[in-house]
Amino acid sequence: MTISKSSLTSIPTCYATVSIGTPTTPLDQKLAAIASAGFQGIELGFPDLLSYASQTYNKDVDAQDFDTLCEAGRNVGTMCQEAGLKIVMLQPFSNFEGWPEGSEGREDAFRRAKGWIQIMQAVGTDMLQVGSTDSPHALSSTSYLASDLRQLCDLLSPHNFRLAYENWCWATHAPNWADVWSIVQQVDRPNIGLCLDTFQTGGGEWADPTTSSGLIQLPGPGPNPRQTLEERFRASLKELGKTIPAEKIYILQISDAYKPLEPLDAEADEQGLRPRGRWSSCLRPVPFDGGYLPVVEVAKAVLETGFRGWFSMEVFDGGPEGTDQEWKDMGAYAKKAMKAHGRLLEEAADG
C-alpha cells in the first residue's frame, strides 16, 4: 500500500498524561501543556487520576476506592472538555489475564476490571488499554489467556467499550505483536483490537538493553548476525503490514529508546521487573531526540495496514542516564513531541 502524505494529514494526535511531568504534577498543568502543543486527545494514566484524587480530597486515595476515583474522574472529564481534549483511553490495566482459577490474583483482576469500567464511565472514555501480563504466575495457554480477555470484552460490551490489547516486550507469554494478534483472533469479539507501540516492537524484536551493542545477539555461527537480525525484523514488519486489518488497530503509541550507557542486568530486579521493563520506565524519549530504535520503520508497517487512527506519544524520558527530569517547561517538551510527530509522518510517507 502506498503511504501518501495527503492520507496522513487527518491522523489524530494524542499524548499520555503519564509521559509529562511527575506523578505529583497537578493534572490541570499537564493538560494545559498537552493542549497548548496542539494535541487533540490524551491517554489518561491511572497514576495521574489517583494523584489528582489524593490531592483533591487531601488524603491518600486507595487504588481500589472506586467511588472516590469515579467522583474525581467526573471532574477530570470536565477538565478535559474545557481544555478541548478527548480522553482516548484509560491506561495501563496490567496483569489481568492468566491467573489460575480460584486464585486471589484472579479475584483481584476481575474486581479491578469492574472498578476501572466504572471509572471509564465517569471520565467519559470508551477504550481500556490492557498490557500483556508480565506476571510469573500467569498460565501459558493462549486459549486460557484469550478466555480471560473474552470475559473482559463481555464486561465492556454493554457499555460500548473497547479493549486495546498491547504487547509489552517484557511480558511473560505475549511480548511481540504477533503474539497479541494471535490472542486477539482467538478472543473473537468485535470490541477487542490492538494497541501497537514503536518501542514495544522495536525494543522487543530488534533491540536488547542487556547487550553492549544494544541489539539482539542472535545465536548460531551465521556469517553476518547483524544482517540476519535486520532481515528477520524486516520480515516481521512486512507480516504486520499485510496481515492485521486496519480496523483491528485501535491506537499506535510512539516513543524511541536511548541505548543504555551500560548494558542492563539480564536478570529481573528485586520487584521482579525484567530488563526491558526497566528500560521502558525511564529511557524512552520522543523520536529523533537521541534514541536509536527503528521508529519510522515500525510506523510505516502500521500505516501499511491502512490504519490512520490515533498516534499517541507515550514516552518516559529520564534522559540518556535515566534520571528524573526537573520538568521546568512541560509546554516546551509537549511542543517538541508534536514536532517529532510531524517529522515521523513526513519520514513515514512514500515519496
Side-chain angles (χ1 to χ4, degrees), residues 287-302:
F288 317 111
D289 197 37
Y292 75 112
L293 295 186
V295 174
V296 174
E297 289 82 351
V298 177
K300 282 178 71 73
V302 174

Side-chain angles (χ1 to χ4, degrees), residues 255-314:
S255 70
D256 205 334
Y258 299 111
K259 179 178 172 290
L261 300 180
E262 296 290 338
L264 302 186
D265 192 313
E267 299 301 317
D269 65 12
E270 293 179 356
Q271 286 73 45
L273 191 60
R274 298 177 180 89
R276 282 188 171 91
R278 302 196 300 274
W279 187 35
S280 171
S281 68
C282 59
L283 289 166
R284 290 172 57 178
V286 300
F288 317 111
D289 197 37
Y292 75 112
L293 295 186
V295 174
V296 174
E297 289 82 351
V298 177
K300 282 178 71 73
V302 174
L303 292 168
E304 288 281 356
T305 68
F307 172 77
R308 297 295 185 270
W310 290 98
F311 269 45
S312 182
M313 285 287 172
E314 190 203 36

Side-chain angles (χ1 to χ4, degrees), residues 1-14 40 88 127 162 194 196 240-242 244-254 296-312 341 344-351:
M1 173 182 290
T2 300
I3 305 172
S4 67
K5 288 185 179 180
S6 61
S7 75
L8 307 182
T9 57
S10 61
I11 286 179
T13 56
C14 181
Q40 298 158 280
V88 178
M127 190 154 65
R162 298 177 295 161
L194 297 176
L196 295 177
L240 186 161
K242 73 179 185 180
I244 303 178
E247 65 272 14
K248 277 298 185 179
I249 302 173
Y250 289 167
I251 190 168
L252 174 64
Q253 293 178 322
I254 309 293
V296 174
E297 289 82 351
V298 177
K300 282 178 71 73
V302 174
L303 292 168
E304 288 281 356
T305 68
F307 172 77
R308 297 295 185 270
W310 290 98
F311 269 45
S312 182
H341 167 80
L344 177 61
L345 293 184
E346 230 174 79
E347 296 201 11
D350 294 325

Side-chain angles (χ1 to χ4, degrees), residues 129-295:
Q129 181 212 50
V130 178
S132 55
T133 182
D134 64 349
S135 170
H137 306 293
L139 302 179
S140 61
S141 164
T142 57
S143 62
Y144 189 83
L145 300 174
S147 175
D148 283 352
L149 293 167
R150 189 178 303 117
Q151 291 179 64
L152 180 53
C153 285
D154 291 344
L155 290 173
L156 292 163
S157 181
H159 310 284
N160 293 318
F161 290 166
R162 298 177 295 161
L163 190 166
Y165 194 37
E166 179 181 9
N167 60 295
W168 285 350
C169 61
W170 61 93
T172 313
H173 304 302
N176 298 331
W177 71 263
D179 300 321
V180 290
W181 174 231
S182 174
I183 292 170
V184 163
Q185 291 174 288
Q186 291 181 61
V187 172
D188 193 26
R189 287 291 188 270
N191 62 330
I192 187 171
L194 297 176
C195 169
L196 295 177
D197 187 308
T198 59
F199 170 82
Q200 307 297 353
T201 295
E205 297 186 45
W206 183 82
D208 184 346
T210 69
T211 66
S212 58
S213 67
L215 302 178
I216 292 172
Q217 301 297 304
L218 296 178
N224 192 335
R226 174 63 187 271
Q227 181 179 341
T228 302
L229 173 65
E230 298 293 347
E231 289 174 352
R232 189 178 74 172
F233 185 61
R234 284 198 299 270
S236 175
L237 294 184
K238 184 177 180 180
E239 187 71 11
L240 186 161
K242 73 179 185 180
T243 58
I244 303 178
E247 65 272 14
K248 277 298 185 179
I249 302 173
Y250 289 167
I251 190 168
L252 174 64
Q253 293 178 322
I254 309 293
S255 70
D256 205 334
Y258 299 111
K259 179 178 172 290
L261 300 180
E262 296 290 338
L264 302 186
D265 192 313
E267 299 301 317
D269 65 12
E270 293 179 356
Q271 286 73 45
L273 191 60
R274 298 177 180 89
R276 282 188 171 91
R278 302 196 300 274
W279 187 35
S280 171
S281 68
C282 59
L283 289 166
R284 290 172 57 178
V286 300
F288 317 111
D289 197 37
Y292 75 112
L293 295 186
V295 174

